Amino acid sequence: MVQSRPASSSPPAAHHPGSPLPADDSYARVADAELERVLTSFDTCYVWRYGSVQEGLRDLYAKAKRDQWDAALALDWSIEVDPEEPILPEAINPLLGFAPYERMDEREQKRVRHCQIAWQLSQFMHGEQGAMIVASQLVGAVPWMDAKLYASSQTMDEARHVEVFSRYLRTKLEWEWPVNPNLKRLLDTIIGDVRWDFKYLGMQILVEGLAMAAFANLHQLTNEKLLKDLIHLVMRDESRHVAFGVLSLQDFYADMSGSERRDREDFVIEACELMRDRLVGEETADAFGFDREPYRQAMVESPILQLFRQQLFSRVVPNLRRLGLLSPRVRTAFDRLGILQFEDADPAAQDAALGLV
Ligand SMILES: [Fe+2]
Ligand SMILES: [Fe+2]
């Protein structure tokens, strides 16, 4: 069970969703006040057998060490970014045709686009923090030394990802959004579960699989050089993280009893339903005086976003199949969500096509 409580019952005065961050150091004071504690409990294990037991994990760890990078040096942070200029092409803006958006003047529309990209990157940043916490939990929880070594390297990778997204948001976009409640619900479930394989399944297979597809989409669409370079470096790491999950779990579910397996299937179905249609960012509507429900509806019905949300699952579904979790129940649910079409997709080929391996 997840128990959480905010450190303070009232929000900090200077951090309003929808307002650009203050440029001075008052941001640091506001952020310090935003702390949430989650009580977790899971078995932590020593492993006294230091040799390899899971084929492939040592190689992946060797690659992880070899491919470390320093976010301060690997990216050109001197690039100037104008957040009012389209970071994503206007032609794919899902709000085109949404009457309240169309009625705005050009200056207001620029501000909406600035908000959209800030919201999206903010969710990436919060997801990266979740990944950093879960990777650190896996170091303690996972029962093989190879996986402890790998998860240690992943914890550092995720720290770097938090660093780059937060730096980009703070210094280039100067606008940051709180975590979306549905994303937060999924992160809470993964962080709070006592079973180590749920942490893998939730983070390495689902969240990171979805993130890889979202990153690939953003990388392809943006012409903003710093963001493009940043995303490419993050994707190189994420591609390994998904492989870590698949390698670690590939034989794990084969002998699992019916009821235990059913728990995993329920979790997969619920998480995919949550991520399929409930991550549209209707909270941003408030910043522009749009009503949330018509805004949410416009985002859900946008043909561009419908396609995008389906493609988010192009790595998740084939990887679940490799783990033996694409049971008839899961297939029925995925068919309903319109994502079963990806069961024969090849994530390794997708990564190779993007130059990541
Ligand atoms: Fe990451
Ligand atoms: Fe990751």
Side-chain angles (χ1 to χ4, degrees):
M1 173 190 283
V2 176
Q3 294 181 20
S4 57
R5 64 180 171 83
S8 162
S9 56
S10 55
H15 188 194
H16 302 294
S19 301
L21 292 170
D24 61 17
D25 72 350
S26 62
Y27 172 62
R29 291 199 304 278
V30 171
D32 284 348
E34 292 188 344
L35 181 68
E36 179 178 337
R37 293 184 173 84
V38 179
L39 184 64
T40 58
S41 172
F42 56 89
D43 283 349
T44 295
C45 54
Y46 291 105
V47 175
W48 300 123
R49 177 179 171 182
Y50 289 85
S52 288
V53 291
Q54 192 81 348
E55 185 113 5
L57 281 182
R58 275 301 155 110
D59 292 344
L60 206 57
Y61 173 58
K63 273 189 206 155
K65 285 188 298 177
R66 188 192 65 199
D67 293 346
Q68 292 289 308
W69 46 283
D70 182 341
L73 302 175
L75 291 164
D76 181 1
W77 291 100
S78 72
I79 291 174
E80 294 209 6
V81 178
D82 181 352
E84 301 267 297
E85 287 305 310
I87 290 177
L88 293 173
E90 177 65 356
I92 58 143
N93 188 345
L95 289 179
L96 288 178
F98 179 57
Y101 176 75
E102 298 288 358
R103 279 197 295 272
M104 288 177 145
D105 65 25
E106 200 187 326
R107 194 183 55 83
E108 289 173 318
Q109 288 186 342
K110 280 184 172 181
R111 197 167 148 73
V112 172
R113 293 200 296 265
H114 179 181
C115 165
Q116 287 172 322
I117 188 76
W119 181 84
Q120 189 180 358
L121 297 188
S122 295
Q123 303 318 310
F124 287 158
M125 175 178 69
H126 300 310
E128 296 292 359
Q129 182 185 178
M132 181 172 70
I133 291 170
V134 173
S136 75
Q137 290 184 324
L138 283 175
V139 174
V142 74
W144 312 299
M145 185 51 68
D146 294 324
K148 286 183 185 295
L149 296 177
Y150 187 83
S152 303
S153 76
Q154 183 176 334
T155 308
M156 182 59 222
D157 293 348
E158 306 298 5
R160 204 163 42 229
H161 301 172
V162 172
E163 178 190 345
V164 292
F165 282 114
S166 63
R167 184 168 176 178
Y168 191 88
L169 282 158
R170 195 176 61 250
T171 65
K172 304 301 177 185
L173 299 188
E174 298 181 14
W175 198 344
E176 185 182 303
W177 282 85
V179 65
N180 172 274
N182 292 316
L183 175 61
K184 173 68 167 36
R185 206 171 115 198
L186 181 57
L187 295 176
D188 278 354
T189 302
I190 298 167
I191 289 169
D193 206 287
V194 299
R195 296 158 291 192
W196 63 262
D197 77 289
F198 266 70
K199 296 182 187 297
Y200 263 106
L201 193 55
M203 184 52 69
Q204 313 294 131
I205 305 297
L206 295 172
V207 175
E208 297 192 308
L210 294 169
M212 270 301 283
F215 290 152
N217 184 59
L218 185 57
H219 182 261
Q220 189 189 358
L221 290 173
T222 187
N223 288 319
E224 199 288 281
K225 185 175 175 347
L226 175 57
L227 184 60
K228 209 176 182 74
D229 293 348
L230 179 163
I231 294 281
H232 183 74
L233 286 170
V234 171
M235 283 175 77
R236 271 183 23 198
D237 294 343
E238 296 300 349
S239 160
R240 274 196 318 273
H241 301 169
V242 177
F244 173 49
V246 174
L247 271 174
S248 301
L249 292 179
Q250 63 188 355
D251 301 320
F252 190 73
Y253 296 118
D255 303 321
M256 192 167 266
S257 73
S259 67
E260 283 188 300
R261 176 186 284 267
R262 210 178 160 83
D263 283 351
R264 274 75 183 171
E265 291 173 10
D266 287 343
F267 171 60
V268 163
I269 293 169
E270 198 183 325
C272 288
E273 283 172 351
L274 202 59
M275 294 296 103
R276 170 72 175 75
D277 280 332
R278 306 269 301 273
L279 202 59
V280 296
E282 62 260 42
E283 58 269 34
T284 58
D286 302 350
F288 304 102
F290 298 155
D291 289 334
R292 277 197 185 199
E293 187 47 35
Y295 178 86
R296 194 192 68 79
Q297 213 171 336
M299 300 293 267
V300 167
E301 288 170 4
S302 150
I304 284 169
L305 282 188
Q306 282 186 358
L307 188 67
F308 168 68
R309 281 198 299 272
Q310 271 183 344
Q311 287 189 330
L312 277 181
F313 293 86
S314 61
R315 283 174 166 78
V316 170
V317 179
N319 283 334
L320 288 171
R321 185 182 173 190
R322 284 176 69 183
L323 300 182
L325 288 177
L326 220 52
S327 65
R329 300 174 59 229
V330 177
R331 291 175 64 89
T332 303
F334 281 8
D335 196 25
R336 195 176 62 240
L337 292 172
I339 58 175
L340 187 58
Q341 55 180 305
F342 298 115
E343 64 175 317
D344 296 318
D346 182 351
Q350 292 173 34
D351 288 0
L354 292 165
L356 300 175
V357 287

